[in-house]
Amino acid sequence: MIRPLRTRHRRTVAALWIVVPALLAWALLSRPPQPRMDDLPAWRGEATPAGHPRRVAGTPFELDGVRAEAAVFSRGVERHLRLRLLERSVAPDLLAYWTAGAGKDGGDGLPADATLLGRVPGTREIVWRLPADGGSIVLYSLAHQRRVASGALPTGSAGESRGGEPRGGEES
Amino acid sequence: MAVSYKAVGWNRQKRIYDGVVLAGVLSYLGLFVGSGIVLDAQATLETLLIRGLGTCAFLLLTIILSIGPLARLDDRFLPLLYNRRHLGVTMSVVALAHGVLSLVQFHAFGDLNPLVSVLVSPGRWEGVAGFPFQPLGLAALVILLLMAATSHDFWLANLTAPTWKRLHMLVYVAWALLVLHVALGALYGERHPALVAVLAVAVAWVLLVHGAGALRERRLDPDSVPGARDFVRVCPVDAIPENRARIVSLSGERVALFRYDGKVSAISNVCQHQNGPLGEGCVLDGLVTCPWHGYQYRPHDGTSPPPYAEKVPTFRVRIVDGVVEVHPRPLPAGTPVEPARIPGHPPTEATP
């Protein structure tokens, strides 16, 4: 007869009442925050003198592994990287990471402290805010699980102010 | 009912049911993909199909899981229960299409076997954050396909209803796995609060209707007369509607007392087909008719009319001072029992 089956069903439902909401809440609350670039300043022609970005001395700089235009700009304590690949990379899903070190740590993989900046949009120009002054940039192929290019970011005071301001689209 | 093996026992109701389900699935996919093309220029057709099939399967599973308790709570949902099996198979096929497309899209072009690739996909197994969601979906799909493969009276008869039921209760495991599959997969990247709200509402809905159904079932199982050895007074005969039943729980099992043609008979409440609640059915053409799939039994001996061969246990019954009394010990399935005649009602023609 099926009374034991009904009892088992009731117990299953009771267990689901506890387990599923708890796991669902845990899964949703455990999601790491997504880095967003929504708060990048609108720099296209409306920069004010006070908030004007300035090119950091030592830029443009080069990446080893890929031909690219790369420059670092400062605005106050903020540092921004403008990047445009000059050749189309054969690696799909190319991601840009910032690391505080020289960018050579981690072998062909990513350094342990790598911070995701965003996706490299082909040969389109892109601007990211950097977590800190200095450090390095690493371009990493998610599909191939290997480093494609890297380069040390220039550090120091701002140099020239106009003509080199970031123009690129803002990643969000 | 069928006396011989048939792949599908088609009838008009099943054709209408399946037609509505198929039209619903195709309409949903068309709307999902069409609106995706308009609203998300970055999404490819394969991606939209994967998402559309996945959400469609989860929606169907939510509906399927709701039908059982809703039918227990309100008779108007019984028509949905009638062909739930086809709805389940449809859901499994949609989920399989989602799985196969995902496998092709994300795992088919590497050096590894795609199924191995799913199981070794990057992720952190030691915690919830970053837990690989695809193996969860694969495990749920295996359960759903196993259920779909055994969704036939052939398996029901060979496995026996209790075993078959136990097997199909794995749907709750599959559901829990799929909730996590969605939370750790799609909602890991898509952070819009509306998507989280939709999943939370779906989960809450399934849990609420099952909770309400379980509470109702528990009220039907009082342990008031456990282990009784003699006739048990059950209810006044007037408390049983004509051609309907009253369900009582005796010695741990449910008994359906049917009143018909000036008589009262007692048979097991459990249909031999899928353990449907016979006492929630009615007497049609002199036969007790299960509300789930229409299986029929003669009330006086619990036997299906020829050429069918299903049998359920019967119980001795009598009426004393206008009160129905039932002996709690079940008789072997198909044992004829003289119905109790209701005083004041003239005898009618012979029992069918």
Side-chain angles (χ1 to χ4, degrees):
Chain A
M1 308 295 269
I2 64 164
R3 185 162 189 180
L5 204 59
R6 288 199 298 272
T7 304
R8 190 177 299 122
H9 187 270
R10 273 200 295 270
R11 287 175 182 163
T12 303
V13 170
L16 288 175
W17 262 86
I18 297 167
V19 172
V20 174
L23 283 177
L24 178 60
W26 193 13
L28 293 177
L29 294 175
S30 299
R31 296 181 299 176
Q34 279 184 326
R36 300 186 69 84
M37 292 294 180
D38 291 346
D39 53 350
L40 274 177
W43 275 347
R44 292 181 189 172
E46 64 268 19
T48 61
H52 199 82
R54 303 172 70 85
R55 188 191 290 265
V56 169
T59 63
F61 66 100
E62 292 187 348
L63 300 175
D64 61 341
V66 66
R67 287 196 309 118
E69 277 183 3
V72 175
F73 294 82
S74 72
R75 194 172 77 161
V77 296
E78 294 179 3
R79 294 291 182 272
H80 297 269
L81 169 67
R82 189 185 74 193
L83 178 71
R84 185 167 75 88
L85 297 188
L86 297 176
E87 58 183 329
R88 191 167 287 280
S89 171
V90 294
D93 300 333
L94 200 58
L95 301 176
Y97 289 84
W98 176 87
T99 173
K104 304 296 183 187
D105 305 336
D108 207 26
L110 283 171
D113 69 335
T115 302
L116 177 68
L117 296 175
R119 181 175 59 88
V120 179
T123 54
R124 193 161 58 85
E125 188 176 279
I126 184 82
V127 175
W128 291 296
R129 189 166 68 191
L130 298 171
D133 191 21
S136 304
I137 180 169
V138 174
L139 302 188
Y140 183 78
S141 167
L142 187 63
H144 295 164
Q145 300 276 296
R146 66 174 177 80
R147 179 193 306 250
V148 173
S150 62
L153 294 164
T155 182
S157 57
E160 61 180 280
S161 61
R162 297 193 69 84
E165 38 190 79
R167 308 181 299 272
E170 294 151 6
E171 185 80 317
S172 61
Chain B
M1 297 172 81
V3 290
S4 60
Y5 178 82
K6 278 186 182 177
V8 180
W10 290 111
N11 59 30
R12 184 171 177 273
Q13 283 81 5
K14 285 186 181 179
R15 289 184 199 282
I16 292 172
Y17 196 112
D18 288 359
V20 170
V21 169
L22 189 62
V25 168
L26 293 178
S27 301
Y28 178 89
L29 289 176
L31 274 173
F32 191 98
V33 173
S35 57
I37 289 172
V38 172
L39 298 174
D40 188 356
Q42 301 290 323
T44 63
L45 183 61
E46 307 92 271
T47 301
L48 290 173
L49 269 176
I50 288 172
R51 292 176 182 172
L53 289 164
T55 53
C56 183
F58 192 77
L59 179 64
L60 284 173
L61 181 59
T62 303
I63 293 171
I64 289 165
L65 286 175
S66 306
I67 290 175
L70 285 176
R72 309 311 303 266
L73 296 169
D74 192 323
D75 288 352
R76 285 174 294 184
F77 290 101
L78 280 172
L80 293 179
L81 190 71
Y82 174 69
N83 204 24
R84 181 175 56 173
R85 186 180 286 181
H86 286 201
L87 195 56
V89 172
T90 304
M91 180 268 297
S92 299
V93 170
V94 173
L96 178 64
H98 167 78
V100 169
L101 267 182
S102 302
L103 213 58
V104 171
Q105 173 100 328
F106 302 116
H107 298 277
F109 302 108
D111 298 331
L112 284 175
N113 178 306
L115 288 173
V116 174
S117 176
V118 168
L119 296 175
V120 298
S121 53
R124 294 174 61 248
W125 289 85
E126 64 272 20
V128 171
F131 193 88
F133 68 98
Q134 290 173 330
L136 299 174
L138 179 62
L141 183 59
V142 169
I143 293 175
L144 295 178
L145 291 178
L146 179 66
M147 290 174 56
T150 55
S151 282
H152 195 281
D153 282 352
F154 171 83
W155 289 106
L156 184 59
N158 283 282
L159 294 173
T160 72
T163 305
W164 187 86
K165 283 251 172 193
R166 274 189 213 106
L167 175 68
H168 281 239
M169 276 181 67
L170 286 175
V171 70
Y172 296 111
V173 178
W175 177 69
L177 289 170
L178 286 177
V179 169
L180 283 179
H181 174 72
V182 175
L184 294 170
L187 295 187
Y188 205 76
E190 300 289 342
R191 299 294 178 92
H192 199 289
L195 296 175
V196 176
V198 167
L199 179 63
V201 167
V203 169
W205 166 255
V206 170
L207 291 176
L208 280 174
V209 293
H210 275 79
L215 284 178
R216 179 189 178 278
E217 291 296 298
R218 189 171 178 79
R219 281 197 292 271
L220 284 174
D221 277 337
D223 293 324
S224 55
V225 284
R229 292 174 180 275
D230 202 355
F231 277 91
V232 175
R233 291 171 71 84
V234 174
C235 65
V237 70
D238 292 338
I240 309 174
E242 181 67 14
N243 288 327
R244 305 287 290 197
R246 185 181 176 102
I247 301 169
V248 296
S249 188
L250 296 173
S251 299
E253 272 306 336
R254 292 180 187 172
V255 179
L257 304 176
F258 280 93
R259 173 175 172 167
Y260 59 101
D261 296 338
K263 295 173 282 189
V264 173
S265 287
I267 62 174
S268 167
N269 189 53
V270 182
C271 179
Q272 279 295 287
H273 178 222
Q274 282 194 25
N275 294 168
L278 290 175
E280 293 176 26
C282 59
V283 178
L284 284 177
D285 302 324
L287 297 169
V288 171
T289 305
C290 181
W292 282 10
H293 302 96
Y295 273 56
Q296 292 189 304
Y297 304 88
R298 292 188 297 239
H300 72 285
D301 65 0
T303 301
S304 294
Y308 307 108
E310 284 78 11
K311 294 176 181 175
V312 296
T314 53
F315 293 81
R316 284 178 286 164
V317 62
R318 69 190 184 191
I319 297 172
V320 178
D321 298 331
V323 175
V324 179
E325 295 184 349
V326 181
H327 197 285
R329 189 168 63 85
L331 299 171
T335 304
V337 173
E338 184 65 26
R341 299 210 170 268
I342 302 172
H345 283 72
T348 56
E349 68 275 12
T351 307

